[in-house]
């Protein structure tokens, strides 16, 4: 048998920003692949809804309410999951925000809020979960949800783009440092997917036409189309892949004209 397993059976995952949008889809998809899932975000009622879906599928869900910009919340969430589930095998750094202010008008407070939420928190959560992965001796997987905006210049705002570019580079450096501990670190760079973050933008048909004009597959992504790549990167099927960013973008990043 040469086909490796794509199953996450017996694995424990932690997903930040799991209450809605991409994080919710990944949490439910990971449960469908056999994982138990720790769900972190600030809105407990969202987490309870996602947990109910996961439990209906026969997997365990752990509610980890907290703010990823607060170190004490990160430590509490990771310790709770470690104690209750016994281990952490997979971390998905997904929590993120955007404020699309033109560069001349970005305030210091906006810069700090986006950077703290989108990149500093991903490092701090990786350090906390990575310590658990290192300690058990079997390593683990970290998947960072970056963006096409971290790779190419777009009208998403300079702060968001800078944070996502940093996340792509952080992915490489953590993969380089932590490979020795069997911790594989990869990133997924989505193009547009409809979530509460993008709903308003995607209701503007002129903007959507502009997006589709640079998207070879000529459509917006569907959330299950992020679940497959994330499950793959978390599974045995990706056992020799680390430090990479997989763009899930309908081909958006391939052209140069
Ligand atoms: N949607 C897209 O087209 C797209 C494209 C490229 C990249 N991305 C990236 O994908 C990730 C998810 O985006 P999305 O579209 O699913 O966004 P979303 O629908 O707004 O969901 C974001 C999630 O992150 C959580 N979150 C935000 N700030 C947090 C904080 N300080 N502490 C804890 N949790 C926090 C939110 O919960 P609470 O507010 O309740 O805490 C929510 O559950 C983001 O990193 C985004 O940059 C999205």
């Amino acid at each position: 048998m040469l086909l490796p397993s794509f199953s996450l059976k017996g694995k424990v995952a932690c997903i930040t920003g799991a209450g809605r949008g991409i994080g919710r889809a990944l949490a439910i998809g990971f449960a469908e692949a056999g994982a138990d899932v720790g769900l972190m975000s600030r809105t407990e009622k969202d987490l309870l809804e996602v947990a109910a879906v996961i439990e209906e599928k026969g997997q365990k869900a752990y509610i980890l309410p907290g703010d990823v910009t607060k170190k004490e919340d990160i430590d509490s969430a990771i310790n709770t999951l470690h104690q209750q589930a016994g281990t952490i095998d997979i971390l998905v750094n997904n929590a993120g925000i955007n404020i699309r202010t033109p560069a001349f008008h970005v305030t210091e407070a906006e810069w700090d809020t986006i950077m703290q939420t989108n990149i500093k928190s991903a490092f701090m959560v990786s350090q906390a979960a990575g310590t658990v992965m290192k300690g058990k001796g079997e390593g683990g997987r970290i998947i960072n949800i970056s963006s096409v905006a971290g790779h190419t210049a777009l009208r998403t705002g300079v702060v968001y783009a800078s944070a996502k570019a940093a996340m792509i580079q952080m992915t490489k450096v953590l993969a380089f440092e932590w490979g020795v501990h069997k911790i594989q670190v990869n990133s997924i760079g989505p193009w547009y997917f409809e979530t509460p973050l993008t709903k308003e933008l995607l209701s503007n048909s002129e903007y959507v036409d502009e997006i589709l004009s640079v998207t070879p597959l000529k459509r917006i992504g569907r959330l299950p189309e992020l679940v497959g790549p994330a499950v793959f990167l978390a599974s045995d099927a990706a056992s020799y892949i680390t430090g990479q960013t997989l763009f899930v973008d309908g081909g958006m990043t391939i052209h140069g004209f």
Side-chain angles (χ1 to χ4, degrees):
M1 180 80 167
L2 283 182
L3 182 68
S5 175
F6 289 79
S7 168
L8 302 183
K9 203 166 168 33
K11 303 288 184 192
V12 175
C14 176
I15 302 183
T16 69
R20 52 177 193 265
I22 292 171
R24 178 183 185 278
L26 297 184
I28 295 169
F30 275 30
E32 288 172 355
D36 294 334
V37 191
L39 310 165
M40 185 176 183
S41 83
R42 293 167 298 186
T43 312
E44 191 164 355
K45 82 168 173 29
D46 287 352
L47 302 182
L48 290 167
E49 185 273 329
V50 180
V53 178
I54 287 174
E55 275 158 14
E56 256 172 40
K57 293 180 185 291
Q59 296 304 132
K60 282 191 195 141
Y62 302 90
I63 306 285
L64 310 168
D67 183 336
V68 291
T69 67
K70 295 187 176 143
K71 177 80 169 81
E72 62 271 24
D73 287 11
I74 293 172
D75 290 344
S76 159
I78 296 299
N79 288 339
T80 302
L81 184 60
H82 188 198
Q83 275 168 18
Q84 292 184 1
T87 186
I88 300 174
D89 303 295
I90 302 158
L91 165 68
V92 183
N93 284 308
N94 164 79
I97 55 165
N98 195 12
I99 309 168
R100 301 164 66 94
T101 310
F104 275 124
H105 301 285
V106 170
T107 64
E108 190 179 356
E110 280 175 0
W111 178 276
D112 288 345
T113 303
I114 298 172
M115 282 294 179
Q116 273 187 345
T117 309
N118 291 11
I119 180 66
K120 183 179 170 189
S121 72
F123 174 70
M124 301 312 295
V125 182
S126 297
Q127 194 183 50
T131 302
V132 175
M133 292 173 186
K134 178 184 167 201
K136 71 190 163 92
E138 291 158 29
R141 303 289 172 91
I142 298 176
I143 300 168
N144 295 317
I145 306 301
S146 59
S147 172
V148 163
H151 174 75
T152 190
L154 301 169
R155 289 194 283 117
T156 50
V158 65
V159 193
Y160 182 83
S162 303
K164 293 300 187 180
M167 187 176 232
I168 290 170
Q169 184 65 2
M170 183 182 80
T171 298
K172 294 181 197 173
V173 178
L174 292 184
F176 180 67
E177 279 197 29
W178 292 354
V180 69
H181 302 297
K182 301 185 207 156
I183 301 172
Q184 293 167 240
V185 189
N186 289 292
S187 163
I188 288 177
W191 183 220
Y192 275 103
F193 286 76
E194 190 176 312
T195 67
L197 182 72
T198 56
K199 199 172 173 36
E200 200 185 317
L201 271 178
L202 297 180
S203 65
N204 176 339
S205 61
E206 275 175 32
Y207 191 73
V208 171
D209 287 348
E210 199 182 317
I211 292 168
L212 299 188
S213 73
V214 295
T215 308
L217 289 184
K218 299 295 171 208
R219 62 176 175 79
I220 300 295
R222 299 168 187 141
L223 289 176
E225 293 173 320
L226 285 171
V227 173
V231 168
F232 163 64
L233 287 174
S235 75
D236 286 351
S239 56
Y240 201 53
I241 299 176
T242 197
Q244 304 301 312
T245 292
L246 176 55
F247 290 105
V248 182
D249 65 354
M252 188 276 175
T253 49
I254 59 177
H255 47 118
F257 56 82

